[in-house]
Amino acid sequence: CVAVCTESSGIFLWDIGHSDQPPPPLHLAPAHTTKATFSSWSKICPQLAIGTSDGKVIIYNRTDAVLQLHEKKGSLREEVTCGDWLFDNRLGLASGARVKISQPIAEVDSKWESWSKFKLAGFGSKMPKHVRQSGAPTRLGFTLGYPPFVAVTLGTKYLLTFDTNRKHEDLGLTFPDDYGGICGFRWMPGNMLLVGLSNGYIVTVDFAALMKMQENRSLPERVSAMATSRVFQDYVTSIDSTTDLKVACCGDAMVKIIRVNGVELEVYLEVPLERKAAVGQCLDSVKWDHEGKAFACSGTDGNLYAHTVE
């Protein structure tokens, strides 16, 4: 099932399956979702997390077709701008200058109980002034291991990482201006981090190696823990990964599937999409299904593409 969050219209669900003619989409509870600014499926069960412009948290259970609004304990003060699920079904959301993480959310009769809260303003002394003034986070993601690290993008040039247990120092990453702004990132096993940059580049970061360098006060050598690949000629807008380490990224009117070998990337499949280049229009986002056998890719012109991958 593909969930598409649209501006001012709410969320639409498509049961695409493998049919060439999927049924019409379901407009999910428009009275509650027209203010949706974020949505994401759980990694382990058919639950859709929804955040709204007025700080509300909604959990949709697809199995039982139940929509639960968490107005008290799950409410945030400002617009929910991004978030991510952990593999134990905790949910992390960013709102304003805060990141809020729940306890594991039950599949049935879900309730929000807070596990931890972080004020990003507390990291501000280490950030450049233009980053501190860049507004709320635009992307958030957790490492796959435990205890989890968190990465959040602030503006388009700064990626902040911090330890949820607060045992390690925070680490900020910046990238060359000619590579473009940060358009997405994904944590991989072993604390490898893939960062998509809008001018067609993907940077692979050995985060575990960076942490050791930080402990040894040798961060000026960080270049040795990073590698850069030009994956698209013109642009890249989104990346996503599967549990078996397949990575999908979209740009230049196609989706490319890549494999990660250390800090090196290898493109092993290109999937051209039936679209023509148009001024002001581009591919927007790509997401894998839970089995890693198919992906969906959306465009800013309203088109949605779905493909299976052998």
Side-chain angles (χ1 to χ4, degrees):
C1 182
V2 177
V4 178
C5 184
T6 62
E7 185 176 359
S8 302
S9 296
I11 292 178
F12 294 84
L13 302 180
W14 272 275
D15 278 314
I16 293 179
H18 298 285
S19 171
D20 291 334
Q21 294 183 331
L26 168 68
H27 196 180
L28 179 63
H32 296 288
T33 67
T34 51
K35 294 183 178 181
T37 52
F38 161 80
S39 65
S40 178
W41 288 106
S42 163
K43 292 179 171 67
I44 62 173
C45 58
Q47 288 175 299
L48 182 69
I50 302 166
T52 69
S53 59
D54 53 359
K56 298 290 193 305
V57 180
I58 303 170
I59 303 295
Y60 171 65
N61 185 319
R62 180 169 175 252
T63 301
D64 299 329
V66 173
L67 196 75
Q68 290 182 290
L69 176 63
H70 300 263
E71 292 189 280
K72 295 183 179 180
K73 294 184 178 180
S75 179
L76 294 100
R77 297 180 180 178
E78 301 179 56
E79 175 182 334
V80 178
T81 54
C82 54
D84 191 24
W85 290 89
L86 284 88
F87 277 96
D88 60 2
N89 227 37
R90 280 180 290 169
L91 175 64
L93 298 171
S95 173
R98 292 171 175 263
V99 172
K100 193 173 183 179
I101 304 174
S102 74
Q103 297 281 4
I105 296 177
E107 183 174 356
V108 179
D109 193 24
S110 63
K111 295 180 180 179
W112 178 290
E113 297 289 345
S114 293
W115 176 70
S116 189
K117 303 175 184 178
F118 302 92
K119 290 184 178 181
L120 298 181
F123 307 112
S125 61
K126 300 179 182 180
M127 301 178 195
K129 183 177 180 180
H130 71 278
V131 172
R132 295 197 301 269
Q133 298 174 344
S134 60
T138 53
R139 294 170 184 84
L140 182 151
F142 295 101
T143 52
L144 307 182
Y146 187 87
F149 282 81
V150 183
V152 293
T153 53
L154 301 171
T156 60
K157 297 293 185 181
Y158 195 84
L159 184 66
L160 171 69
T161 61
F162 60 91
D163 175 9
T164 54
N165 284 357
R166 313 305 296 139
K167 293 182 179 180
H168 298 83
E169 291 186 39
D170 315 315
L171 184 62
L173 298 175
T174 59
F175 305 92
D177 288 342
D178 57 348
Y179 287 4
I182 299 170
C183 60
F185 66 85
R186 294 296 295 179
W187 287 104
M188 305 294 286
N191 283 351
M192 297 294 292
L193 181 63
L194 300 184
V195 184
L197 301 171
S198 58
N199 288 348
Y201 295 91
I202 293 181
V203 178
T204 311
V205 181
D206 187 339
F207 186 73
L210 282 184
M211 295 302 296
K212 290 181 180 179
M213 291 179 185
Q214 186 181 51
E215 292 172 0
N216 296 330
R217 305 299 177 185
S218 58
L219 274 181
E221 303 173 8
R222 67 171 62 188
V223 175
S224 63
M226 305 168 72
T228 303
S229 302
R230 185 75 180 265
V231 179
F232 290 96
Q233 183 62 36
D234 296 323
Y235 73 90
V236 60
T237 55
S238 176
I239 58 177
D240 194 28
S241 60
T242 67
T243 54
D244 61 353
L245 308 187
K246 291 196 297 288
V247 178
C249 46
C250 64
D252 294 3
M254 70 174 66
V255 173
K256 292 187 178 182
I257 312 300
I258 60 180
R259 293 190 188 278
V260 182
N261 183 13
V263 293
E264 301 298 327
L265 303 180
E266 175 191 0
V267 177
Y268 78 93
L269 181 64
E270 296 183 356
V271 184
L273 304 179
E274 296 179 1
R275 61 185 290 118
K276 295 181 180 180
V279 176
Q281 303 293 348
C282 64
L283 295 176
D284 180 47
S285 179
V286 63
K287 291 291 183 182
W288 286 102
D289 69 349
H290 286 285
E291 297 180 338
K293 296 180 179 179
F295 65 80
C297 182
S298 61
T300 57
D301 53 4
N303 284 311
L304 182 68
Y305 308 88
H307 285 264
T308 57
V309 178
E310 298 297 332

